[in-house]
Amino acid sequence: MSIKVVYFPAPGRVEPVRLALTLGGVAFEDERVPFEKWGSMKEGVAPKQLPLMHIGDKVIGQSAALMRYAASISKFEGRPLYPTDDALLALQVDEFVDYVSEMFGPLGASFKIEDQAEKEAFRAKAVAEGGDIHKWLSYIDSLLGKSKSGFAVGDHLTIADIAAFCWYQPLKSGFLDGIPVTCLDEFKNIEAHKQKIANIPAVKAYYSEPKMPIYKTYQ
């Protein structure tokens, strides 16, 4: 069955989908819609938002659902990226992913602020100690600090690791005005986890030739 992932030419919330399918050796078409073309395409897309995944003749939206599906059909080193045969482990994976995704609330809100200075101040406050993003970074850092394997959940790579790896890197990319590139420096466990995932040969190969500058933080 053919698979096509449709999103913008950026990591965003769909990057874990791309990486999970890649690590699982699942063939897919990676369609990256230029931002300037989205306006003319939007009316022809039922939910009027991306990402979308074409699976055969079905079109599915919502990044969290797509991520779980991609991980469910992908195995890495013989083990599933989403544990469909272990309900408790799957619950723990979902829990971790949901904690990581908490940062999208304040980050998404910042894009609606039109005044540039106000936007930057809002973001700076969110990643500073006591801020809405900072508190979730602190919590994720504490969870990773308790891991004996170095992985987010269990003893092998899962979509929880992929989501954390993909979603936190843009914070220190310098492309989000108001968020300093040093914002993750204090979180040693997040950094150690990032290095663990980035140094997996298949991950390193995937990001060896960045498709755009923001991807350099994934290396």
Side-chain angles (χ1 to χ4, degrees):
M1 190 180 305
S2 64
I3 296 176
K4 179 168 70 172
V5 177
V6 185
Y7 193 61
F8 302 108
R13 298 193 69 158
V14 82
E15 190 65 13
V17 176
R18 294 171 176 149
L19 185 54
L21 293 173
T22 298
L23 294 179
V26 178
F28 72 101
E29 180 183 349
D30 185 8
E31 182 177 336
R32 302 191 179 219
V33 179
F35 292 105
E36 62 272 17
K37 290 187 178 181
W38 173 237
S40 60
M41 293 177 59
K42 190 174 183 179
E43 292 305 313
V45 176
K48 298 197 171 32
Q49 65 181 25
L50 297 178
L52 292 174
M53 181 184 285
H54 296 250
I55 307 169
D57 61 356
K58 299 184 183 302
V59 181
I60 311 294
Q62 293 298 322
S63 57
L66 301 184
M67 186 170 61
R68 282 192 294 272
Y69 174 76
S72 295
I73 64 172
S74 301
K75 288 186 177 182
F76 181 70
E77 296 183 343
R79 306 184 75 173
L81 292 177
Y82 188 78
T84 55
D85 60 345
D86 187 329
L88 180 57
L89 188 60
L91 176 63
Q92 293 174 296
V93 168
D94 287 340
E95 176 193 35
F96 191 92
V97 170
D98 287 348
Y99 281 139
V100 175
S101 69
E102 288 285 354
M103 74 169 190
F104 283 113
L107 189 59
S110 73
F111 284 98
K112 298 178 181 179
I113 301 174
E114 295 184 1
D115 182 80
Q116 183 65 19
E118 184 181 349
K119 178 187 296 185
E120 292 183 21
F122 180 92
R123 288 175 175 173
K125 181 179 180 180
V127 298
E129 187 171 0
D132 289 340
I133 292 178
H134 187 278
K135 73 176 183 180
W136 289 113
L137 290 171
S138 296
Y139 188 60
I140 292 297
D141 193 68
S142 71
L143 292 179
L144 291 172
K146 296 174 184 177
S147 171
K148 295 180 179 179
S149 66
F151 291 109
V153 178
D155 61 358
H156 65 96
L157 185 73
T158 67
I159 194 64
D161 299 292
I162 294 172
F165 173 75
C166 291
W167 287 344
Y168 282 141
Q169 301 320 306
L171 289 176
K172 63 178 185 179
S173 67
F175 286 87
L176 293 170
D177 297 336
I179 299 182
V181 296
T182 57
C183 69
L184 296 181
D185 287 1
E186 67 179 282
F187 303 108
K188 303 306 180 185
N189 297 315
I190 287 178
E191 179 58 25
H193 180 261
K194 183 262 182 178
Q195 293 301 327
K196 182 178 183 68
I197 306 306
N199 285 322
I200 293 173
V203 176
K204 184 177 290 188
Y206 183 65
Y207 292 110
S208 62
E209 297 182 7
K211 297 175 177 62
M212 56 191 305
I214 194 172
Y215 279 105
K216 289 183 179 180
T217 60
Y218 290 74
Q219 296 177 322

